């Protein structure tokens, strides 16, 4: 009897965590109805996806495309490779255009454009010269993750590659948010970055092995450890708060940034009841927009085999007050079952336009109602 009891106990210890993950966080019974804020249409882009973007104050928008994660499913990797290499693209939201522009990259011997697979992206805006600094995470297949720094040359619409940033602290990076030139926070999404099996175990058992890192221009330090699936990250306009989405658990953490050493102190944790991927901060700094995966098991199916499976897309807007998210005022601005756009990963508004990006699907633009 004792032996059987021990076996049952061991099986419970082994099986309960993944069952909890599968039953509680996969949204098996979640459902919502399609609604758009206005007329929505596809924006033609080269390559695949529009995983992250940044909209500048003048409407110029830089977009990362062609994300590739080493530990992803074989069908996902094959699908991404079949669509060509990764790139950074641009669109001007002041112009009624139907397509993005691929930005050529000027580079030295230390950067391989054919291996470029950008993911999370942020921009330091240069309002005087227009020579914006663009930083993006780069997942090079069978090599270490790194952060690439580019300078945008407005006269030729080219990117000049300036440097690659490496660290032993980088495992599987996801998103970054800049404080200033060469200083940024970055989410280290998962610890296991070379084995699909180990990454799956980390997911199913919700192992708190991930972190938020800070790069000060010289070295990388861990500012928050013991996290599970930190994904999108955004520094507030006043640089006093840092927002981090915990994609798999539907939580958002709001940290106070300590100016003395750039450490982070948790001030707010809320459950937004959806898988928020990336943030976009409104120009006035008063709202966070989020591209979300509202039905997580469908998102997993979509990313397992993008050619066959679709996933719902959702956009929410989170008002801010004194740096904190006003939970009761969160608004769902857009919901689609995956017919117009599948697997939304980022969203942001400029004037009367709402731009919605996706992991490996299309880019969508919606015309918002006149607010005047």
């Amino acid at each position: 009897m004792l032996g059987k009891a021990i076996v049952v106990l061991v099986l419970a210890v082994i099986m309960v965590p993944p069952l909890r993950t599968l039953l509680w966080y996969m949204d098996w019974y979640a459902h919502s109805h399609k609604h758009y804020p206005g007329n929505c249409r596809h924006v033609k882009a080269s390559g695949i996806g529009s995983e992250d973007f940044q909209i500048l104050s003048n409407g110029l928008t830089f977009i990362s495309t062609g994300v590739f994660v080493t530990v992803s499913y074989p069908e996902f990797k094959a699908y991404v490779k079949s669509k060509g290499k990764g790139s950074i693209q641009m669109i001007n939201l002041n112009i009624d255009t139907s397509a993005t522009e691929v930005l050529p990259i000027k580079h030295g011997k230390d950067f391989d454009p054919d291996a470029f697979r950008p993911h999370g992206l942020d921009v330091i805006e240069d309002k005087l010269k227009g020579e914006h600094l663009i930083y993006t995470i780069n997942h090079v297949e069978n090599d270490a993750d790194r952060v690439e720094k580019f300078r945008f040359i407005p006269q030729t619409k080219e990117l000049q590659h300036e440097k690659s940033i490496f660290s032993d602290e980088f495992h599987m990076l996801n998103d970054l948010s800049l404080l200033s030139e060469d200083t940024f926070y970055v989410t280290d999404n998962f610890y296991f970055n070379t084995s699909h099996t180990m990454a799956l175990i980390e997911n199913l058992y919700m192992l708190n092995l991930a972190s938020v890192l800070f790069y000060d221009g010289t070295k990388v330090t861990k500012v928050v450890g013991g996290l599970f699936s930190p994904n999108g990250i955004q520094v507030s306009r006043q640089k006093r708060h840092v927002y981090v989405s915990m994609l798999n658990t539907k939580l958002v953490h709001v940290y106070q940034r300590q100016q003395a050493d750039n450490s982070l102190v948790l001030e707010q944790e809320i459950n937004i009841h959806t898988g928020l991927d990336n943030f976009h901060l409104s120009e006035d700094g008063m709202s966070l927009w989020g591209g979300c995966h509202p039905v997580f098991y469908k998102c997993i199916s979509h990313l397992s085999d993008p050619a066959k499976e679709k996933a719902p897309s959702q956009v929410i807007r989170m008002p801010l007050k004194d740096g904190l998210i006003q939970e009761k005022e969160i608004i769902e601005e857009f919901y689609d079952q995956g017919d117009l756009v599948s697997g939304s990963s980022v969203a942001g508004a400029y004037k009367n336009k709402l731009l919605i990006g996706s992991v490996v699907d299309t880019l969508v633009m919606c015309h918002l109602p006149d607010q005047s």
Side-chain angles (χ1 to χ4, degrees), residues 101-289:
E101 300 177 69
V102 177
L103 300 178
I105 298 175
K106 298 172 63 177
H107 60 92
K109 62 180 181 180
D110 295 330
F111 179 80
D112 181 3
D114 293 327
F116 183 43
R117 291 293 181 177
H119 195 169
L121 174 147
D122 201 4
V123 180
I124 294 179
E125 186 173 357
D126 180 345
K127 294 183 179 180
L128 186 62
K129 296 181 179 179
E131 295 183 359
H132 313 298
L133 294 177
I134 300 171
Y135 292 74
T136 186
I137 290 160
N138 185 9
H139 300 293
V140 177
E141 187 176 8
N142 301 320
D143 205 347
D145 280 6
R146 74 285 312 263
V147 174
E148 309 289 2
K149 176 185 178 182
F150 301 94
R151 185 177 299 275
F152 175 65
I153 311 301
Q155 294 82 4
T156 58
K157 294 185 179 180
E158 292 177 305
L159 297 175
Q160 175 66 56
H161 182 257
E162 297 208 339
K163 67 191 293 187
S164 299
I165 300 168
F166 296 88
S167 173
D168 291 338
E169 295 286 342
F170 291 169
H171 297 102
M172 195 164 83
L173 304 182
N174 191 291
D175 193 19
L176 78 163
S177 189
L178 295 154
L179 277 182
S180 60
E181 183 173 358
D182 288 354
T183 63
F184 55 80
Y185 292 96
V186 60
T187 51
D188 201 28
N189 191 218
F190 287 102
Y191 182 84
F192 293 106
N193 62 340
T194 57
S195 167
H196 177 68
T197 300
M198 291 305 298
L200 185 61
I201 290 173
E202 184 177 353
N203 250 305
L204 286 175
Y205 284 86
M206 300 180 68
L207 302 180
N208 296 319
L209 301 176
S211 57
V212 175
L213 308 172
F214 180 74
Y215 178 67
D216 66 3
T218 304
K219 66 181 185 300
V220 173
T221 55
K222 184 185 296 185
V223 290
V224 184
L227 299 177
F228 175 64
S229 73
N231 199 88
I233 189 165
Q234 177 67 56
V235 176
S236 69
R237 193 69 70 204
Q238 295 78 23
K239 304 187 188 305
R240 295 174 184 168
H241 292 87
V242 176
Y243 309 93
V244 180
S245 67
M246 306 296 167
L247 173 65
N248 295 29
T249 57
K250 303 175 175 58
L251 300 176
V252 173
H253 286 185
V254 181
Y255 295 93
Q256 278 189 356
R257 173 178 164 258
Q258 308 303 296
Q259 296 189 28
D261 59 1
N262 294 299
S263 61
L264 301 178
V265 176
L266 184 63
E267 184 175 359
Q268 183 187 31
E269 178 184 84
I270 65 171
N271 189 334
I272 57 171
H273 305 286
T274 188
L276 195 154
D277 199 324
N278 291 319
F279 299 103
H280 189 277
L281 185 64
S282 64
E283 179 60 25
D284 62 9
M286 298 301 293
S287 294
L288 283 168
W289 291 81

Side-chain angles (χ1 to χ4, degrees), residues 194 335 344:
T194 57
Y335 193 99
S344 55

